[in-house]
Amino acid sequence: MEMENGGGVVSAASEKQEQQGASYTYWVREATADAAPLPVPKKLSPDDILSNKSQPTTLGSVWNRAGTWEEKSLNKWASDRIKELLTSVGSVEFSGGKAEITEVSNCVGDAFLVTVRNKKRVGYNYELTLKVRGEWNIREEKKMVQGHMDIPEFSFGELDDLQMQVRISEEKDLSKEDKLQISQDLKMFLQPVREKLLLFEQELKDR
């Protein structure tokens, strides 16, 4: 369909395109006028930086920012530290001799750190065997004696109930009474061993 317009001929298609073009241009112009201004970069002040640094930190791994359940094994550190502490007890003297811990020959157990709701908890359970060597004056003769001290399983917070069992190596020239006395002497290691394990427990809590 064609129409005359002031001596000119304008097609319906051309008129429709002009209307659509005008409408589109008007919409863009309106959106631009009503749009929010673009953000302007702002330099952080020292107070802003301090405020960000003062935000409370969460415990545990980076992925666990919510502070939900997370358990971390501390076995390697704990076993090495127990051995280091107990072999540093040094020599203990008795009325008839003296002895020292030469080795932690058995150290079996677990130590762990648990984060629950952004709170830290630690725990452990271990059983130990300590190798001991000493000398005693028995019937006016110096005797070298070796043995083992077994510490049954103990856990966090149970060191007041720590127990120790002594085994004397076979010595043909020691009487039953001699072995009994030596066993009683070696049980005097219980207190210094407990003190070292208390130190271990405190270090575990501070991790």
Side-chain angles (χ1 to χ4, degrees):
M1 174 181 176
E2 294 183 349
M3 299 174 56
E4 293 186 0
N5 185 9
V9 178
V10 181
S11 68
S14 298
E15 184 177 358
K16 185 176 181 181
Q17 288 179 354
E18 288 179 1
Q19 290 176 351
Q20 288 178 343
S23 174
Y24 175 75
T25 303
Y26 177 80
W27 177 83
V28 172
R29 186 166 56 248
E30 285 294 315
T32 303
D34 295 339
L38 293 173
V40 178
K42 177 185 176 183
K43 185 177 180 180
L44 292 176
S45 68
D47 290 340
D48 295 330
I49 297 173
L50 183 61
S51 176
N52 289 335
K53 287 184 177 180
S54 65
Q55 294 296 323
T57 58
T58 57
L59 299 173
S61 301
V62 173
W63 58 265
N64 191 18
R65 288 307 184 193
T68 53
W69 177 276
E70 179 183 352
E71 181 171 337
K72 179 181 179 181
S73 172
L74 299 175
N75 292 350
K76 178 67 168 59
W77 172 85
S79 296
D80 290 346
R81 188 59 177 144
I82 287 174
K83 293 176 181 179
E84 181 182 7
L85 287 170
L86 294 185
T87 52
S88 71
V89 166
S91 179
V92 174
E93 296 191 2
F94 323 110
S95 59
K98 63 180 180 179
E100 64 179 351
I101 296 171
T102 60
E103 182 187 353
V104 180
S105 57
N106 187 47
C107 180
V108 179
D110 296 288
F112 51 87
L113 184 154
V114 175
T115 303
V116 183
R117 296 179 182 176
N118 209 30
K119 292 185 179 180
K120 182 179 70 173
R121 299 176 184 174
V122 293
Y124 68 86
N125 55 81
Y126 272 91
E127 59 181 65
L128 308 171
T129 298
L130 314 178
K131 191 174 182 179
V132 63
R133 178 181 60 201
E135 59 180 28
W136 276 260
N137 293 315
I138 299 175
R139 291 181 292 280
E140 299 182 357
E141 185 178 351
K142 206 170 268 189
K143 298 284 187 181
M144 298 297 298
V145 179
Q146 296 186 11
H148 294 84
M149 299 182 294
D150 298 318
I151 300 177
E153 185 174 357
F154 58 97
S155 302
F156 188 91
E158 297 181 354
L159 292 177
D160 287 343
D161 300 323
L162 197 69
Q163 298 179 7
M164 179 180 289
Q165 300 167 357
V166 176
R167 294 180 286 123
I168 303 297
S169 300
E170 288 299 324
E171 298 288 346
K172 294 181 180 179
D173 54 351
L174 289 178
S175 66
K176 184 177 180 180
E177 290 75 15
D178 294 335
K179 292 183 178 179
L180 181 60
Q181 182 58 54
I182 292 172
S183 295
Q184 292 299 322
D185 289 343
L186 289 177
K187 286 184 178 180
M188 292 178 64
F189 273 99
L190 182 60
Q191 184 55 32
V193 165
R194 180 186 286 116
E195 291 173 359
K196 292 294 185 180
L197 291 176
L198 282 169
L199 177 58
F200 159 76
E201 193 169 282
Q202 184 60 49
E203 291 178 0
L204 180 65
K205 287 165 63 177
D206 292 340
R207 287 184 68 83

